[in-house]
Amino acid sequence: MEGPFIKAKPIIVTLMEAGFEAYFVGGSVRDYLLGRSRGDIDIATSALPEDVQSLFDRTIPVGIKHGTVVVLHNQEMYEVTTFRIDGDYQDFRRPSKVEFVTSLEEDLSRRDFTINAIAMDIHGTIIDPFEGQKDLKNKFIQTVGNPDDRFLEDPLRIMRAIRFVSQLDFELSPETKKSIESHANLLTKISVERVLVEFEKLLTGKANEKAIILITELQIQNYLPQLNNKEEELARFAVLCSKQPLTLEEQWTLLIYSLKVEDIEFFFKQWKSSNEKIKTCRLYLNVITELKNCSSLSCYTVYTYGPETVKSGIRLFSLLENKQSNLMLTALQTITRSLPILTRKDMAITGNDLIEWYSKQGGPWLSETIEIVEKAIVDGEVENNKEKIKEWLLTCNPPFENNY
Ligand code: ATP
Ligand code: MG
């Protein structure tokens, strides 16, 4: 057993000493068996949520109705969930009610895929009634039990299956694949928020190309927001998205570009994405457009968007245009190092100086002039020095002579 499990052991010990069963379960056990290290550990127990709350000093009742209590221990958070089976999934939402059960095996049987239905006890002994280890070895995503029943019960599992293909570089088992093909339409019943979580994990998975191609092969795109009938565009995106590791926002930008989305706001609203994400993608798209329109990287672009955003823009631009990014990245480094100012606050003049020099009251001309000076400083046309700026403005900048 490795670090994170050893750190979590005292929680299992406390539960066992109180007479309950407790095991490590879910993604942490799967990833441990695959040699993928991770921090978050989930625990399943026969103890009821109120038992868990009374046994530990610091708990957060995150999902009492579904049996989940977070236990805080040594600066870590552990989800401790009572053995349960799920009741009806009314309206394809999360189960309307759950039933707490006493056996681990029943709890494992409600889990989505065999590889996610493996438990490990405190000594490191694996409990694997659905042969998840075999599927880990064969790299198969396969539902626990009949796939048709399981996808009907909760169609989100369709997206989860594809995201595990992407994250783990696994294949769907033939039965699971066939079942997904015939039930993909059920995805429209699921809330976009739940689909988004899985789709984003899929976008940044190591086998994202394979997963996107699988989406088109199984016609899943027709049931995802804004992707209906976008098979060809997705095929193009699949090739691009896997060429180099990209952040989530970079992947979204690449997708939007590949889809030739016109109304970005509307596209993201359909996905219920955060405003933060929309903003970042917009900035990346602006940088890409600037790079497309200019022959070389300008100092003002680096100043306006900041080196990190421009770096992402360069990466995306070179992917989209099939160009080498090295030269542009080197230019970015040189420009970043030589920028005379990093923000407007670094300018040697203020609006008051301009008001004094021009003997004019404030107005739109003021911010326009500040912007002109700012750009001139960044582009190296004038030194960031009060006297030099005054001289430049009053003698070398004719548009303002009239205002004088
Ligand atoms: P990740 O690495 O993303 O955390 P995970 O397998 O831990 O992957 P979670 O969404 O954290 O995924 O869920 C934890 C466990 O709960 C899963 O391993 C699985 O056993 C079970 N599970 C989660 N979602 C479902 C679902 N929709 N249907 C059935 N079981 C599920
Ligand atoms: Mg998890």
Side-chain angles (χ1 to χ4, degrees):
M1 230 188 291
E2 61 178 13
F5 292 101
I6 292 167
K7 261 180 100 176
K9 252 182 170 182
I11 295 175
I12 299 210
V13 169
T14 304
L15 287 160
M16 288 175 71
E17 281 177 355
F20 300 108
E21 283 183 58
Y23 302 89
F24 301 116
V25 281
S28 54
V29 176
R30 175 198 69 222
D31 287 354
Y32 166 63
L33 293 171
L34 284 172
R36 294 167 96 220
S37 71
R38 54 184 285 156
D40 62 317
I41 302 274
D42 292 334
I43 292 168
T45 179
S46 59
L48 291 170
E50 51 266 34
D51 299 323
V52 178
Q53 281 176 300
S54 65
L55 278 171
F56 297 94
D57 291 340
R58 291 189 302 149
T59 59
I60 312 171
V62 288
I64 290 277
K65 245 176 62 189
H66 296 103
T68 305
V69 174
V70 162
V71 173
L72 295 148
H73 172 77
N74 279 350
Q75 269 88 44
E76 299 286 345
M77 305 210 313
Y78 298 96
E79 273 196 12
V80 179
T81 305
T82 306
F83 293 158
R84 66 166 215 231
I85 49 174
D86 296 334
D88 289 346
Y89 279 81
Q90 273 170 10
D91 301 332
F92 299 101
R93 288 174 184 277
R94 286 173 205 280
S96 49
K97 61 175 190 308
V98 303
E99 190 185 324
F100 296 137
V101 293
T102 49
S103 92
L104 170 70
E105 184 156 340
E106 267 186 288
D107 179 83
L108 294 177
S109 74
R110 63 128 175 131
R111 292 172 185 272
D112 48 6
F113 305 110
T114 58
I115 59 167
N116 289 344
I118 308 171
M120 181 165 75
D121 76 7
I122 196 169
H123 308 293
T125 306
I126 297 294
I127 300 112
D128 181 18
F130 302 103
E131 300 194 309
Q133 287 176 106
K134 200 168 118 201
D135 286 334
L136 280 179
K137 203 160 143 254
N138 295 331
K139 299 182 179 250
F140 260 168
I141 309 290
Q142 165 146 240
T143 53
V144 172
N146 180 303
D148 293 341
D149 295 344
R150 302 312 307 280
F151 291 129
L152 268 166
E153 208 173 60
D154 180 6
L156 183 73
R157 291 170 187 154
I158 293 171
M159 285 308 287
R160 286 177 60 83
I162 316 278
R163 80 107 148 149
F164 286 119
V165 166
S166 181
Q167 287 185 316
L168 306 175
D169 196 2
F170 277 25
E171 307 290 333
L172 298 177
S173 79
E175 307 79 41
T176 297
K177 188 169 178 177
K178 203 161 146 254
S179 180
I180 288 183
E181 197 161 19
S182 44
H183 292 104
N185 62 325
L186 292 176
L187 274 174
T188 54
K189 311 268 185 202
I190 297 290
S191 78
V192 176
E193 289 88 342
R194 294 181 77 202
V195 174
L196 178 70
V197 172
E198 303 301 331
F199 188 67
E200 293 198 327
K201 289 187 175 176
L202 181 162
L203 280 180
T204 48
K206 64 177 173 184
N208 49 5
E209 177 176 6
K210 182 156 101 180
I212 298 284
I213 289 169
L214 195 55
I215 282 186
T216 59
E217 195 187 322
L218 301 176
Q219 295 294 300
I220 293 172
Q221 78 278 0
N222 292 335
Y223 310 103
L224 296 175
Q226 300 294 297
L227 298 182
N228 189 12
N229 288 328
K230 300 288 184 197
E231 198 173 330
E232 276 175 31
E233 290 85 345
L234 283 172
R236 243 192 340 257
F237 169 67
V239 177
L240 293 176
C241 74
S242 56
K243 285 212 165 141
Q244 49 172 289
L246 296 176
T247 64
L248 181 59
E249 286 78 6
E250 290 169 346
Q251 290 290 6
W252 274 115
T253 309
L254 209 54
L255 179 60
I256 283 176
Y257 210 94
S258 308
L259 293 170
K260 300 193 175 72
V261 173
E262 278 173 12
D263 190 342
I264 296 166
E265 197 79 24
F266 181 78
F267 176 90
F268 273 128
K269 287 285 170 237
Q270 302 311 301
W271 272 102
K272 303 226 158 109
S273 294
S274 70
N275 289 335
E276 200 57 38
K277 208 176 295 156
I278 304 177
K279 207 173 119 193
T280 307
C281 293
R282 267 192 194 289
L283 292 175
Y284 291 167
L285 286 165
N286 287 350
V287 176
I288 294 170
T289 310
E290 290 207 13
L291 291 172
K292 273 191 122 167
N293 295 337
C294 311
S295 49
S296 64
L297 184 63
S298 84
C299 297
Y300 199 60
T301 302
V302 179
Y303 172 78
T304 311
Y305 296 102
E308 283 311 309
T309 303
V310 174
K311 198 178 191 177
S312 294
I314 290 175
R315 274 219 295 270
L316 293 168
F317 171 75
S318 51
L319 264 177
L320 288 161
E321 299 282 306
N322 200 16
K323 287 194 166 114
Q324 285 287 333
S325 60
N326 298 358
L327 279 179
M328 272 188 287
L329 288 172
T330 312
L332 170 64
Q333 265 188 351
T334 314
I335 291 173
T336 307
R337 271 199 297 264
S338 63
L339 277 181
I341 55 172
L342 295 177
T343 73
R344 191 169 273 193
K345 284 202 202 92
D346 300 336
M347 286 170 72
I349 60 152
T350 64
N352 286 337
D353 295 321
L354 291 176
I355 288 172
E356 194 190 315
W357 297 342
Y358 284 86
S359 305
K360 265 180 80 170
Q361 289 198 331
W365 71 274
L366 189 59
S367 57
E368 280 166 25
T369 313
I370 289 189
E371 206 168 300
I372 288 175
V373 176
E374 186 181 24
K375 189 166 185 311
I377 295 172
V378 172
D379 286 339
E381 275 179 53
V382 61
E383 204 180 305
N384 186 29
N385 167 292
K386 200 163 167 174
E387 286 310 310
K388 294 267 168 60
I389 292 170
K390 188 175 182 185
E391 203 177 301
W392 180 82
L393 260 180
L394 303 183
T395 61
C396 312
N397 200 36
F400 291 95
E401 275 174 3
N402 301 337
N403 299 329
Y404 196 38

